Amino acid sequence: MKVCKFGGTSLASAQQLEKVANIIRKDKSRKIVVVSAPGKRYDGDTKVTDLLITLSSAALAGADIDGPLAKVLERYKQITDELGLEDGVMATVKQDFLERLSSDTSNPVLFSDRLKAGGEDNSARVLAAYLNDMGMGSEYINPQEAGLLLSDFPERARVLPQSYGRLASLRQKESICVFPGFFGFTETGALRTFERGGSDITGSILAAAVKAELYENFTDVDCVFAANPKIVENPIEIQQMTYREMRELSYAGFSVFHDEALMPAFKEAIPVCIKNTNNPDAPGTMIVAERSHSQNPVTGISAADGFSTLYVSKYLMNREIGFGRKLLQILEDEEISYEHIPSGIDNLSVILRNHQLAADKEERIINRVKTELEADDVHIRGGFSMVVLVGEGMNHTVGLAARATDAIARTGANIEMINQGSSEVSLVFGVLKHDEEKILKELYKEFFSPAYIH
Ligand code: ASP
């Protein structure tokens, strides 16, 4: 049995749903299908999830909802009309959104979660109806009835372990199960969503629960590339990589697969294949537990901006017991998680994601570190990017770090931070954001262009 997940662009229009149906028809083992909400049809289009966020904000602000609601309904109407589905399908979709809108608004985040989830829920209803019309017996699956239980964190819920046992019974279904991605329910029956892009996570949970032979993740690119094709011209296609490599690459910008989605598949050792709905015959990229070592120790290079550093120095820091714990406690009090902590003898930097910071938080952190930890110098600086070289086998390759730093030196950029060692499969460089692109290009040249491959 295979679990297939189709992303937003695969469900963006009637033509795309036809492709999805063909893909499912071609392989009888594709028995569980997870769907996203309709995504962008063209550059500059708006995803249904974003339309729903606008709708929910309007509803919460007491503003006019007719305009934003019409935009959402129009997307489904166009799809159901063009597929020739009977009117009852669209009537159910409309009724569902009206019910979500009339639900309790006293907790805005939960209200917004309920509205956002409507994107995938109705996408699943429409696809199930269409597959049935095409004579492919299928069934819309309600995640609550199926038992997808989540923790009580709005917008970033996590799966509860008992879900796996409950969802396993989907294996017994005769029909093709169409399961909406992105959301589930708490033990008390309240709807919660995963992070954005979270339908990948639903697919992985289902694949693990039914012990699928393969989790196919259909998107709009043929494979995972060794570097961002928007920056590097014609990067090579990665045919096979390990879960760990994918995790490291998605950490810094490879958005083709949600990083939280790896864990369920990894735990059950279910291979994941990234495939293209628009070119389903392309082999795609396989993500597996172990792979044979390739000649090139580097599998891919990712880069992402949006990082800041909290720099702290204090004379004799290395001898002060509990210094690190106290510093991290201050961050915990501000609900901030950290990314890396490169350290010297009398100083350390904590690398943070910008989106967790705000001017008032920064001020409180700096004041507390100065007064409570009696630091000599404390400051927070933004504008950093992380460039990450990823590859199993990198650790055993002599001279690899030297080649990487040489390549970066050729760009004239300064390396602000290096982190190697804690992870066996990656080498992380903290650089200034404005140097990110040229560094990525030069590293790609160093490790992937034939003229440079050593
Ligand atoms: N529709 C949701 C989003 O746009 C979830 C997903 O597509 O995976 O983030």
Side-chain angles (χ1 to χ4, degrees):
M1 176 186 272
K2 290 178 186 156
V3 171
C4 328
K5 179 258 168 179
F6 291 91
T9 53
S10 307
L11 293 140
S13 66
Q15 290 79 354
Q16 292 301 89
L17 266 88
E18 284 165 10
K19 292 181 193 168
V20 168
N22 284 334
I23 290 170
I24 298 168
R25 185 187 285 117
K26 258 195 147 170
D27 183 344
K28 294 272 171 292
S29 62
R30 291 181 173 136
K31 289 294 300 289
I32 296 183
V33 178
V34 177
V35 292
S36 282
K40 293 185 182 187
R41 292 159 291 184
Y42 44 82
D43 271 355
D45 194 16
T46 309
K47 289 169 135 198
V48 163
T49 309
D50 291 313
L51 294 177
L52 288 167
I53 291 171
T54 308
L55 174 61
S56 119
S57 308
L60 288 166
D64 169 50
I65 58 164
D66 293 345
L69 175 62
K71 282 191 181 161
V72 173
L73 296 179
E74 182 47 39
R75 290 294 306 268
Y76 289 93
K77 175 122 177 58
Q78 196 179 1
I79 294 172
T80 52
D81 280 355
E82 287 180 24
L83 291 176
L85 299 181
E86 49 118 356
D87 294 346
V89 178
M90 189 55 212
T92 314
V93 170
K94 183 169 179 187
Q95 183 58 29
D96 176 83
F97 280 118
L98 291 175
E99 275 168 24
R100 286 172 202 269
L101 277 167
S102 60
S103 69
D104 177 24
T105 50
S106 59
N107 186 328
V109 190
L110 300 187
F111 175 76
S112 158
D113 262 11
R114 274 196 296 279
L115 265 195
K116 281 189 286 178
E120 330 323 87
D121 214 12
N122 288 301
S123 197
R125 286 196 183 96
V126 170
L127 181 66
Y130 177 55
L131 294 179
N132 279 326
D133 261 18
M134 294 288 99
M136 300 155 71
S138 81
E139 189 181 340
Y140 156 81
I141 304 289
N142 177 323
Q144 187 165 28
E145 285 163 17
L148 177 48
L149 290 176
L150 303 185
S151 61
D152 199 358
F153 285 111
E155 298 185 308
R156 53 188 172 93
R158 294 269 159 88
V159 64
L160 296 182
Q162 57 269 42
S163 300
Y164 292 100
R166 295 175 181 216
L167 293 166
S169 60
L170 290 177
R171 241 197 121 84
Q172 264 73 56
K173 295 250 185 215
E174 289 289 315
S175 47
I176 297 168
C177 301
V178 185
F179 199 109
F182 191 39
F183 71 97
F185 291 83
T186 63
E187 283 176 298
T188 55
L191 186 153
R192 296 288 178 271
T193 63
F194 294 119
E195 273 185 3
R196 290 298 304 269
S199 300
D200 287 350
I201 309 172
T202 310
S204 186
I205 293 166
L206 290 179
V210 302
K211 306 219 179 332
E213 71 185 83
L214 182 65
Y215 171 28
E216 292 178 311
N217 197 286
F218 283 90
T219 172
D220 51 11
V221 287
D222 277 359
C223 59
V224 181
F225 294 101
N228 183 351
K230 288 188 186 131
I231 297 172
V232 170
E233 215 181 305
N234 289 327
I236 65 154
E237 301 183 353
I238 303 177
Q239 284 160 1
Q240 201 185 50
M241 66 173 134
T242 64
Y243 297 112
R244 296 198 304 172
E245 288 174 322
M246 186 71 237
R247 160 74 181 115
E248 297 280 344
L249 289 169
S250 54
Y251 167 78
F254 273 42
S255 57
V256 69
F257 193 61
H258 197 290
D259 55 0
E260 256 184 75
L262 283 163
M263 197 37 97
F266 167 73
K267 277 197 183 141
E268 293 295 331
I270 293 160
V272 181
C273 189
I274 309 290
K275 283 180 81 77
N276 189 353
T277 299
N278 306 315
N279 185 15
D281 293 331
T285 297
M286 284 295 288
I287 307 169
V288 293
E290 302 282 339
R291 68 177 176 85
S292 47
H293 280 300
S294 51
Q295 243 188 325
N296 193 345
V298 180
T299 300
I301 311 171
S302 58
D305 61 6
F307 291 87
S308 294
T309 60
L310 162 65
Y311 173 83
V312 184
S313 81
K314 183 178 182 186
Y315 186 55
L316 298 181
M317 182 192 283
N318 64 322
R319 291 203 215 153
E320 190 173 324
I321 292 168
F323 189 90
R325 181 185 55 74
K326 288 181 208 147
L327 179 65
L328 293 181
Q329 183 64 53
I330 294 173
L331 293 180
E332 185 177 338
D333 294 345
E334 294 293 342
E335 299 196 324
I336 293 174
S337 61
Y338 70 90
E339 306 293 320
H340 308 272
I341 312 186
S343 63
I345 306 167
D346 291 332
N347 50 49
L348 57 77
S349 300
V350 189
I351 315 286
L352 310 164
R353 297 254 186 194
N354 291 347
H355 68 84
Q356 301 195 78
L357 293 168
D360 56 332
K361 280 191 180 194
E362 290 186 26
E363 204 182 308
R364 279 196 299 271
I365 293 168
I366 292 174
N367 283 338
R368 285 187 64 187
V369 177
K370 271 192 190 148
T371 52
E372 294 170 29
L373 302 188
E374 296 171 342
D376 300 327
D377 186 13
V378 193
H379 56 257
I380 296 179
R381 264 175 69 202
F384 290 99
S385 289
M386 295 294 137
V387 178
V388 190
L389 279 181
V390 177
E392 299 275 356
M394 260 177 31
N395 241 13
H396 315 292
T397 310
V398 176
L400 188 128
R403 278 175 67 189
T405 49
D406 263 6
I408 297 175
R410 286 200 291 275
T411 69
N414 187 39
I415 300 171
E416 308 283 329
M417 179 215 68
I418 302 183
N419 193 354
Q420 188 195 22
S422 28
S423 156
E424 289 164 36
V425 289
S426 72
L427 180 54
V428 183
F429 296 99
V431 299
L432 293 177
K433 175 179 158 40
H434 62 76
D435 292 328
E436 177 190 316
E437 254 190 60
K438 62 181 179 192
I439 291 176
L440 182 66
K441 285 183 179 152
E442 197 60 32
L443 284 172
Y444 185 83
K445 211 159 88 185
E446 170 67 31
F447 290 103
F448 291 96
S449 55
Y452 280 79
I453 290 176
H454 296 200

